[in-house]
Amino acid sequence: MYRHCIYCSGDLGANEAVEAFPIGRTLAFDAAKGRLWAVCAKCARWNLAPIEERWEPVEDAERLFREARMRVQSENVGLARLPDGTRLIRVGAALQGELAAWRYGDQLVKRRRRHLMLVGAAAAAGIVGFAGLTYAAVGYGSFYMVQSIGGSLWKQYRRSRPIHTLAAHEAPDGRPVTLQRKHLEGAVLQPGTEGGVELRLPRVMAPSARWNGMMVETPVVLRDPAARRVLERGMVHLNRAGADRDRLKHALNLITSAGSAEEYIRGTASSRLALARDVNTRKWMPSGTALALEIALHEEQERRALQGELSILEAAWRDAEPIADIADRLATPPTQAE
């Protein structure tokens, strides 16, 4: 197999995922017709592999595509990203009845370990250093008073941390607004009036109408896509402690039971749960639901990004298909062609 593009002479790159065909950073294949292409990163043209070198790599590519943890499909073309960065383009009917697994869950587990390490280090340092010095200086009773004040200040600091800035066209008064973590307290995820989801923020008030000569303020309601952008960033703060493997497995099962990430997001919105507990909150989101929502939002975001590439890939496949058909006919002996 050649290592440079036959159209622009650019380097096709290499991959470590398909051992039988290590050429090409992006591979396209059609398992039904036994065709394999190396896609040029420079000109995006599809380079057809020699017919005698295809069958084993095509089988490997099909297996890797089905096992891929992140993939998206249309009616005729699918796209998957492998752990080593290799991209697989699958030509043919979409796989039915399968959901992608969520690699984002690994980040939650790492976040959990990091959170425990920080909490443990802070607790050890506080107990050994702060407790000893305070007790020696101001006495046993004053130590608890200082500790209470320090804890209160730390809580206020965490609540004031910014999570997202609403653009001027998204803000209720036409000016950019910086949302803080405290604004998520009592925030309710609900179905959108025009489809999608909405996020009601009772701690962010905006003038809405006049009554007896005075402006009346009502809670801000964010609609798609602004609601999703705030949710994607806000859930990271709410799930700052991460998750262990058991909680992660439970969260993934919730999404699988819903059918897809988007269906889980909409189903959670229909429950009208508050994201974080508030003094006026009657129903708030359980920790497992919050974890699953963060994973689903991240999954849907990546899926939309991949989805945008499918139309381009399908057009490239339709250009490469006639050439591959002619090449295969020329490579086939006349008796077999008949």
Side-chain angles (χ1 to χ4, degrees):
M1 173 62 183
Y2 36 81
R3 295 183 176 272
H4 294 81
C5 177
I6 61 175
Y7 300 97
C8 70
S9 300
D11 188 4
L12 293 175
N15 73 84
E16 298 179 357
V18 184
E19 295 183 3
F21 196 84
I23 300 170
R25 194 63 173 165
T26 300
L27 300 179
F29 67 97
D30 185 338
K33 296 181 179 179
R35 290 174 182 164
L36 179 68
W37 296 267
V39 181
C40 178
K42 184 177 180 180
C43 69
R45 300 294 294 272
W46 291 27
N47 297 261
L48 186 65
I51 194 169
E52 64 274 6
E53 298 182 13
R54 298 181 196 168
W55 292 105
E56 185 177 350
V58 167
E59 291 178 358
D60 291 343
E62 177 72 13
R63 175 180 54 80
L64 291 170
F65 185 90
R66 290 176 178 270
E67 296 174 354
R69 305 186 68 184
M70 171 54 63
R71 67 168 181 259
V72 63
Q73 297 180 204
S74 66
E75 184 179 357
N76 298 310
V77 176
L79 175 63
R81 290 177 181 169
L82 303 183
D84 71 332
T86 303
R87 301 197 325 158
L88 295 178
I89 303 169
R90 181 182 184 273
V91 176
L95 301 178
Q96 299 296 325
E98 294 185 9
L99 290 173
W102 293 272
R103 59 182 176 184
Y104 188 57
D106 293 338
Q107 298 182 23
L108 287 169
V109 175
K110 293 178 181 178
R111 192 188 304 168
R112 174 70 175 175
R113 294 170 183 164
R114 187 165 56 248
H115 173 76
L116 292 176
M117 291 175 61
L118 291 174
V119 170
I127 292 174
V128 175
F130 181 73
L133 292 174
T134 307
Y135 181 75
V138 298
Y140 186 77
S142 299
F143 162 68
Y144 282 103
M145 182 182 69
V146 175
Q147 186 184 47
S148 177
I149 294 174
S152 178
L153 292 175
W154 173 247
K155 184 177 180 181
Q156 291 180 17
Y157 166 74
R158 288 196 313 174
R159 293 179 68 243
S160 63
R161 292 191 63 182
I163 59 172
H164 180 66
T165 299
L166 290 175
H169 68 278
E170 298 173 338
D173 56 357
R175 293 180 299 177
V177 177
T178 299
L179 297 178
Q180 299 175 348
R181 186 181 292 179
K182 62 184 178 183
H183 294 140
L184 297 178
E185 297 172 2
V188 177
L189 178 63
Q190 60 191 29
T193 55
E194 300 178 357
V197 297
E198 294 179 349
L199 185 62
R200 186 175 181 271
L201 301 171
R203 289 182 174 268
V204 184
M205 306 297 288
S208 60
R210 284 188 175 275
W211 185 75
N212 288 343
M214 298 179 62
M215 289 299 299
V216 179
E217 291 188 335
T218 57
V220 169
V221 177
L222 300 178
R223 297 175 174 83
D224 265 334
R228 291 186 187 242
R229 284 195 290 269
V230 173
L231 278 172
E232 288 167 2
R233 291 161 176 79
M235 297 311 297
V236 174
H237 289 269
L238 294 177
N239 295 323
R240 58 186 176 275
D244 55 26
R245 292 291 178 183
D246 291 337
R247 294 181 62 200
L248 175 59
K249 183 178 180 180
H250 173 67
L252 295 179
N253 287 337
L254 291 176
I255 301 175
T256 303
S257 299
S260 69
E262 179 62 25
E263 289 177 7
Y264 182 80
I265 296 171
R266 293 176 182 267
T268 303
S270 65
S271 300
R272 299 178 182 270
L273 299 173
L275 302 184
R277 189 180 305 187
D278 185 73
V279 291
N280 299 318
T281 301
R282 294 183 178 180
K283 296 192 305 180
W284 58 86
M285 194 173 292
S287 59
T289 303
L291 285 172
L293 181 61
E294 181 182 349
I295 296 172
L297 287 165
H298 184 85
E299 168 75 5
E300 196 59 29
Q301 182 187 39
E302 285 203 357
R303 191 173 294 277
R304 288 197 301 269
L306 290 175
Q307 194 78 35
E309 300 182 43
L310 288 183
S311 58
I312 301 174
L313 293 176
E314 187 159 351
W317 161 63
R318 295 189 184 281
D319 288 340
E321 179 69 11
I323 299 174
D325 187 61
I326 294 173
D328 285 356
R329 288 178 180 272
L330 292 175
T332 306
T335 53
Q336 294 184 23
E338 294 173 1

